[in-house]
Amino acid sequence: MGLRQHLAESLKSSLPVLQRRDESGRLSVCSKLCYAIGGAPYQITGSALGFFLQIYLLDVAQLDTFYASIILFVGRAWDAVTDPTVGFLVSRSRWTRCGRMMPWILISTPFAVLTYFLIWYVPPVEQWKVLWYLIFYCLFQSLQTCFHVPYSALTMFISMDQKERDSATAYRMTAEVLGSVVGTAIQGQIVGGAITPCLPGDLEVLDNGNTTLLGSDVSISHISLDETKRAYLIASAVICVMYVLCAAVLFLGVREQEEPMSFFEGMRMVMGYGPYVKLVMGFLFTSLAFMLLEGNFALFISYTMGFRNDFQNILLVIMLSGTLSIPFWQWFLTRFGKKTAVYIGITWAVPFMILIVCIESSLIVAYVVSVAAGVSVAAAFLLPWSMLPDVVDDFKVKNPDSSGHEAIFYSFYVFFTKFASGISLGISTLSLDFAGYVTRSCSQPDAVNLTLKVLVSAAPVVLIFLGLLIFKTYPIDEERRQGNRKLLQAMRDSNQDSDTESTELGSVV
């Protein structure tokens, strides 16, 4: 009787696992949508920070370019360091009723939105500005990492089926690019409407950084600056509300599957796994190219091209183009393979990056280039997250006795890209400093315009070609990917057969 009771208890505890395996095949559209919406907060805040933080620190907070570069570099570098740290902590977390990943997402959200809002507040004490932005930028990056690393690893826990994961990833990328559109639109349209048009013939720059109307005692830039500060706060408040809503949809609409996890031994195996290293290095260079473009494009449009009052609309066109292109790239990678999609999708932007700096400033050309760049940005968004699960599957096939390393794969990928982006942003802002960038000026010296051309064209083009050269050595093609899918399915079927035999044995006993 004791043996029967013991077996019954064991079988009862195993039933949820069997149920999860049965449910891991197909995902409902609702589950995919809820999962996809959870990725929007990272991109909404990321696009707002990526496009506007540099120009905000320089022209609104009125920081010296050297201090602005320090904030951008340290913030991104700190953000990169937190990724493997959070990956380790997540892997050591206990399973709860709502999963292992979900508590991190739930707890970090309110603190993340608070620190994000404070990034866009200009403190009244001048000497504390640098420390203020450094502290809250680093805090926000840490808290957002507590959201994003578990969310990224969740890809491997929503389904065991490769096609379902690819489909869910396409939903996610569409939502994330749409999130970038929303972030760019909210920040750009609200802030752009508060920027007073620059009138070089009527304004005089004073020693304290304010601008005064010539022949008048009335300061117009101080009023304009206050309105701009208020606009940034309003935009950040709207984004904070959207962040909370998206996190709530993710938490309520996605069910996480339980898997065992380890870290240190897994980290050693993951970091020495060739296909993963090549994938990370390839996307490291291509991501750097688009990060340089993103971080400096607002300044390039405002000063080098002279479209100060249109830059927010041009940025919005890039994001809209990217959103509309996601379904095309999902079809393309399914039809022609992911490596082919990388070559065509990433290189698509190169001719237009060259075009925009080689011809005379034209608003029409700027919009055309923005549409073309958005198509390439969509590929850069979709492909890394679509190919990472393939590497994880390949790793599982080569190491069938090792499991639970998904968070390591995702956290270290994010670590390398964020660390490199921090270096690129710091270097680009320092380059503007050396070139003689003038805060809140209507125009910039020729050296600054030349530097901006290099940062949005020459440097990204070189980085893209370096990344594509590395991709030539990436070994997981469509044939290998499909073979891995069949092998993993056979392994799962074998495990299910073993569980079924155990259940039948328990019934006999």
mmCIF file of all heavy atoms in Angstrom, residues 442-471:
data_model
loop_
_atom_site.group_PDB
_atom_site.id
_atom_site.type_symbol
_atom_site.label_atom_id
_atom_site.label_comp_id
_atom_site.label_asym_id
_atom_site.label_seq_id
_atom_site.Cartn_x
_atom_site.Cartn_y
_atom_site.Cartn_z
ATOM 1 N N CYS A 442 22.286 77.102 -33.785
ATOM 2 C CA CYS A 442 21.469 76.920 -34.988
ATOM 3 C C CYS A 442 22.229 76.156 -36.060
ATOM 4 O O CYS A 442 21.622 75.511 -36.917
ATOM 5 C CB CYS A 442 21.045 78.274 -35.544
ATOM 6 S SG CYS A 442 20.074 79.239 -34.371
ATOM 7 N N SER A 443 23.542 76.224 -36.046
ATOM 8 C CA SER A 443 24.373 75.514 -37.006
ATOM 9 C C SER A 443 25.631 75.047 -36.296
ATOM 10 O O SER A 443 25.952 75.513 -35.203
ATOM 11 C CB SER A 443 24.726 76.413 -38.197
ATOM 12 O OG SER A 443 25.454 77.551 -37.757
ATOM 13 N N GLN A 444 26.345 74.131 -36.934
ATOM 14 C CA GLN A 444 27.550 73.564 -36.360
ATOM 15 C C GLN A 444 28.730 73.808 -37.289
ATOM 16 O O GLN A 444 28.567 74.009 -38.496
ATOM 17 C CB GLN A 444 27.365 72.059 -36.128
ATOM 18 C CG GLN A 444 26.278 71.705 -35.135
ATOM 19 C CD GLN A 444 26.607 72.131 -33.717
ATOM 20 O OE1 GLN A 444 27.764 72.321 -33.367
ATOM 21 N NE2 GLN A 444 25.577 72.295 -32.883
ATOM 22 N N PRO A 445 29.945 73.783 -36.732
ATOM 23 C CA PRO A 445 31.132 73.928 -37.579
ATOM 24 C C PRO A 445 31.225 72.820 -38.621
ATOM 25 O O PRO A 445 30.632 71.743 -38.467
ATOM 26 C CB PRO A 445 32.293 73.837 -36.575
ATOM 27 C CG PRO A 445 31.690 74.163 -35.250
ATOM 28 C CD PRO A 445 30.278 73.692 -35.303
ATOM 29 N N ASP A 446 32.000 73.069 -39.671
ATOM 30 C CA ASP A 446 32.154 72.083 -40.739
ATOM 31 C C ASP A 446 32.727 70.770 -40.214
ATOM 32 O O ASP A 446 32.375 69.692 -40.706
ATOM 33 C CB ASP A 446 33.061 72.640 -41.842
ATOM 34 C CG ASP A 446 32.392 73.773 -42.611
ATOM 35 O OD1 ASP A 446 31.145 73.847 -42.589
ATOM 36 O OD2 ASP A 446 33.117 74.573 -43.230
ATOM 37 N N ALA A 447 33.603 70.850 -39.214
ATOM 38 C CA ALA A 447 34.201 69.629 -38.658
ATOM 39 C C ALA A 447 33.144 68.746 -38.007
ATOM 40 O O ALA A 447 33.210 67.509 -38.093
ATOM 41 C CB ALA A 447 35.282 69.998 -37.641
ATOM 42 N N VAL A 448 32.155 69.361 -37.368
ATOM 43 C CA VAL A 448 31.069 68.593 -36.750
ATOM 44 C C VAL A 448 30.225 67.922 -37.826
ATOM 45 O O VAL A 448 29.853 66.737 -37.710
ATOM 46 C CB VAL A 448 30.198 69.504 -35.865
ATOM 47 C CG1 VAL A 448 28.954 68.751 -35.388
ATOM 48 C CG2 VAL A 448 30.995 69.998 -34.671
ATOM 49 N N ASN A 449 29.904 68.638 -38.878
ATOM 50 C CA ASN A 449 29.116 68.060 -39.966
ATOM 51 C C ASN A 449 29.851 66.904 -40.631
ATOM 52 O O ASN A 449 29.239 65.879 -40.970
ATOM 53 C CB ASN A 449 28.779 69.135 -40.998
ATOM 54 C CG ASN A 449 27.825 70.188 -40.454
ATOM 55 O OD1 ASN A 449 26.942 69.868 -39.653
ATOM 56 N ND2 ASN A 449 27.991 71.438 -40.868
ATOM 57 N N LEU A 450 31.161 67.046 -40.804
ATOM 58 C CA LEU A 450 31.953 65.953 -41.380
ATOM 59 C C LEU A 450 31.949 64.739 -40.447
ATOM 60 O O LEU A 450 31.806 63.591 -40.902
ATOM 61 C CB LEU A 450 33.383 66.422 -41.629
ATOM 62 C CG LEU A 450 34.351 65.358 -42.168
ATOM 63 C CD1 LEU A 450 33.867 64.828 -43.514
ATOM 64 C CD2 LEU A 450 35.768 65.922 -42.285
ATOM 65 N N THR A 451 32.081 64.993 -39.151
ATOM 66 C CA THR A 451 32.061 63.900 -38.172
ATOM 67 C C THR A 451 30.725 63.169 -38.195
ATOM 68 O O THR A 451 30.678 61.933 -38.140
ATOM 69 C CB THR A 451 32.334 64.450 -36.758
ATOM 70 O OG1 THR A 451 33.597 65.111 -36.742
ATOM 71 C CG2 THR A 451 32.344 63.335 -35.738
ATOM 72 N N LEU A 452 29.636 63.920 -38.283
ATOM 73 C CA LEU A 452 28.308 63.293 -38.342
ATOM 74 C C LEU A 452 28.141 62.451 -39.605
ATOM 75 O O LEU A 452 27.516 61.378 -39.568
ATOM 76 C CB LEU A 452 27.219 64.368 -38.273
ATOM 77 C CG LEU A 452 27.021 65.022 -36.899
ATOM 78 C CD1 LEU A 452 26.085 66.227 -37.001
ATOM 79 C CD2 LEU A 452 26.463 64.009 -35.895
ATOM 80 N N LYS A 453 28.710 62.908 -40.715
ATOM 81 C CA LYS A 453 28.645 62.111 -41.943
ATOM 82 C C LYS A 453 29.378 60.788 -41.782
ATOM 83 O O LYS A 453 28.910 59.741 -42.241
ATOM 84 C CB LYS A 453 29.244 62.907 -43.107
ATOM 85 C CG LYS A 453 28.383 64.051 -43.586
ATOM 86 C CD LYS A 453 29.030 64.771 -44.768
ATOM 87 C CE LYS A 453 28.148 65.914 -45.270
ATOM 88 N NZ LYS A 453 28.781 66.611 -46.426
ATOM 89 N N VAL A 454 30.515 60.830 -41.112
ATOM 90 C CA VAL A 454 31.272 59.594 -40.880
ATOM 91 C C VAL A 454 30.489 58.658 -39.966
ATOM 92 O O VAL A 454 30.429 57.440 -40.190
ATOM 93 C CB VAL A 454 32.653 59.918 -40.263
ATOM 94 C CG1 VAL A 454 33.367 58.645 -39.819
ATOM 95 C CG2 VAL A 454 33.518 60.677 -41.267
ATOM 96 N N LEU A 455 29.843 59.225 -38.940
ATOM 97 C CA LEU A 455 29.151 58.404 -37.944
ATOM 98 C C LEU A 455 27.873 57.773 -38.475
ATOM 99 O O LEU A 455 27.448 56.727 -37.972
ATOM 100 C CB LEU A 455 28.827 59.253 -36.708
ATOM 101 C CG LEU A 455 30.036 59.718 -35.879
ATOM 102 C CD1 LEU A 455 29.594 60.681 -34.786
ATOM 103 C CD2 LEU A 455 30.770 58.534 -35.269
ATOM 104 N N VAL A 456 27.222 58.389 -39.463
ATOM 105 C CA VAL A 456 25.975 57.819 -39.985
ATOM 106 C C VAL A 456 26.163 57.134 -41.329
ATOM 107 O O VAL A 456 25.211 56.531 -41.844
ATOM 108 C CB VAL A 456 24.872 58.901 -40.126
ATOM 109 C CG1 VAL A 456 24.593 59.563 -38.798
ATOM 110 C CG2 VAL A 456 25.224 59.922 -41.182
ATOM 111 N N SER A 457 27.367 57.189 -41.895
ATOM 112 C CA SER A 457 27.563 56.584 -43.208
ATOM 113 C C SER A 457 28.808 55.712 -43.267
ATOM 114 O O SER A 457 28.716 54.486 -43.328
ATOM 115 C CB SER A 457 27.633 57.673 -44.285
ATOM 116 O OG SER A 457 27.835 57.100 -45.558
ATOM 117 N N ALA A 458 29.986 56.322 -43.250
ATOM 118 C CA ALA A 458 31.224 55.571 -43.478
ATOM 119 C C ALA A 458 31.446 54.485 -42.422
ATOM 120 O O ALA A 458 31.701 53.318 -42.755
ATOM 121 C CB ALA A 458 32.412 56.540 -43.508
ATOM 122 N N ALA A 459 31.349 54.846 -41.153
ATOM 123 C CA ALA A 459 31.587 53.874 -40.080
ATOM 124 C C ALA A 459 30.569 52.730 -40.099
ATOM 125 O O ALA A 459 30.958 51.554 -40.020
ATOM 126 C CB ALA A 459 31.592 54.584 -38.723
ATOM 127 N N PRO A 460 29.249 53.008 -40.230
ATOM 128 C CA PRO A 460 28.296 51.895 -40.308
ATOM 129 C C PRO A 460 28.523 50.968 -41.499
ATOM 130 O O PRO A 460 28.372 49.754 -41.376
ATOM 131 C CB PRO A 460 26.938 52.601 -40.408
ATOM 132 C CG PRO A 460 27.141 53.921 -39.746
ATOM 133 C CD PRO A 460 28.541 54.306 -40.097
ATOM 134 N N VAL A 461 28.881 51.534 -42.645
ATOM 135 C CA VAL A 461 29.124 50.699 -43.832
ATOM 136 C C VAL A 461 30.271 49.727 -43.590
ATOM 137 O O VAL A 461 30.194 48.537 -43.904
ATOM 138 C CB VAL A 461 29.391 51.579 -45.071
ATOM 139 C CG1 VAL A 461 29.918 50.731 -46.226
ATOM 140 C CG2 VAL A 461 28.118 52.308 -45.489
ATOM 141 N N VAL A 462 31.356 50.217 -43.000
ATOM 142 C CA VAL A 462 32.510 49.357 -42.705
ATOM 143 C C VAL A 462 32.112 48.261 -41.718
ATOM 144 O O VAL A 462 32.462 47.083 -41.888
ATOM 145 C CB VAL A 462 33.680 50.196 -42.146
ATOM 146 C CG1 VAL A 462 34.795 49.286 -41.620
ATOM 147 C CG2 VAL A 462 34.227 51.122 -43.222
ATOM 148 N N LEU A 463 31.372 48.621 -40.682
ATOM 149 C CA LEU A 463 30.955 47.642 -39.678
ATOM 150 C C LEU A 463 30.037 46.579 -40.275
ATOM 151 O O LEU A 463 30.119 45.391 -39.921
ATOM 152 C CB LEU A 463 30.247 48.358 -38.525
ATOM 153 C CG LEU A 463 31.141 49.207 -37.620
ATOM 154 C CD1 LEU A 463 30.290 50.078 -36.698
ATOM 155 C CD2 LEU A 463 32.070 48.325 -36.796
ATOM 156 N N ILE A 464 29.158 46.978 -41.185
ATOM 157 C CA ILE A 464 28.261 46.016 -41.829
ATOM 158 C C ILE A 464 29.055 44.990 -42.620
ATOM 159 O O ILE A 464 28.798 43.772 -42.541
ATOM 160 C CB ILE A 464 27.245 46.748 -42.729
ATOM 161 C CG1 ILE A 464 26.157 47.409 -41.859
ATOM 162 C CG2 ILE A 464 26.609 45.785 -43.730
ATOM 163 C CD1 ILE A 464 25.194 48.282 -42.634
ATOM 164 N N PHE A 465 30.031 45.425 -43.378
ATOM 165 C CA PHE A 465 30.810 44.481 -44.183
ATOM 166 C C PHE A 465 31.658 43.562 -43.307
ATOM 167 O O PHE A 465 31.835 42.382 -43.625
ATOM 168 C CB PHE A 465 31.679 45.235 -45.185
ATOM 169 C CG PHE A 465 30.918 45.703 -46.397
ATOM 170 C CD1 PHE A 465 30.749 47.041 -46.670
ATOM 171 C CD2 PHE A 465 30.342 44.771 -47.255
ATOM 172 C CE1 PHE A 465 30.035 47.466 -47.775
ATOM 173 C CE2 PHE A 465 29.619 45.180 -48.366
ATOM 174 C CZ PHE A 465 29.469 46.530 -48.632
ATOM 175 N N LEU A 466 32.160 44.067 -42.191
ATOM 176 C CA LEU A 466 32.883 43.196 -41.265
ATOM 177 C C LEU A 466 31.959 42.115 -40.693
ATOM 178 O O LEU A 466 32.336 40.943 -40.582
ATOM 179 C CB LEU A 466 33.487 44.025 -40.129
ATOM 180 C CG LEU A 466 34.697 44.898 -40.478
ATOM 181 C CD1 LEU A 466 35.087 45.768 -39.281
ATOM 182 C CD2 LEU A 466 35.889 44.038 -40.902
ATOM 183 N N GLY A 467 30.755 42.526 -40.331
ATOM 184 C CA GLY A 467 29.789 41.560 -39.808
ATOM 185 C C GLY A 467 29.418 40.503 -40.832
ATOM 186 O O GLY A 467 29.322 39.312 -40.512
ATOM 187 N N LEU A 468 29.228 40.898 -42.089
ATOM 188 C CA LEU A 468 28.863 39.939 -43.127
ATOM 189 C C LEU A 468 29.995 38.961 -43.429
ATOM 190 O O LEU A 468 29.740 37.796 -43.764
ATOM 191 C CB LEU A 468 28.456 40.688 -44.399
ATOM 192 C CG LEU A 468 27.163 41.508 -44.288
ATOM 193 C CD1 LEU A 468 26.877 42.230 -45.587
ATOM 194 C CD2 LEU A 468 25.981 40.612 -43.916
ATOM 195 N N LEU A 469 31.236 39.423 -43.306
ATOM 196 C CA LEU A 469 32.371 38.510 -43.480
ATOM 197 C C LEU A 469 32.358 37.420 -42.416
ATOM 198 O O LEU A 469 32.652 36.247 -42.695
ATOM 199 C CB LEU A 469 33.686 39.296 -43.414
ATOM 200 C CG LEU A 469 34.048 40.130 -44.649
ATOM 201 C CD1 LEU A 469 35.312 40.941 -44.387
ATOM 202 C CD2 LEU A 469 34.245 39.229 -45.867
ATOM 203 N N ILE A 470 32.013 37.787 -41.187
ATOM 204 C CA ILE A 470 31.928 36.783 -40.118
ATOM 205 C C ILE A 470 30.776 35.819 -40.376
ATOM 206 O O ILE A 470 30.889 34.614 -40.126
ATOM 207 C CB ILE A 470 31.770 37.484 -38.754
ATOM 208 C CG1 ILE A 470 33.018 38.313 -38.436
ATOM 209 C CG2 ILE A 470 31.514 36.468 -37.638
ATOM 210 C CD1 ILE A 470 32.901 39.164 -37.192
ATOM 211 N N PHE A 471 29.663 36.332 -40.903
ATOM 212 C CA PHE A 471 28.513 35.472 -41.185
ATOM 213 C C PHE A 471 28.816 34.406 -42.237
ATOM 214 O O PHE A 471 28.146 33.372 -42.282
ATOM 215 C CB PHE A 471 27.313 36.306 -41.644
ATOM 216 C CG PHE A 471 26.475 36.812 -40.519
ATOM 217 C CD1 PHE A 471 26.303 38.171 -40.322
ATOM 218 C CD2 PHE A 471 25.858 35.930 -39.653
ATOM 219 C CE1 PHE A 471 25.538 38.640 -39.278
ATOM 220 C CE2 PHE A 471 25.080 36.394 -38.604
ATOM 221 C CZ PHE A 471 24.925 37.752 -38.413
#
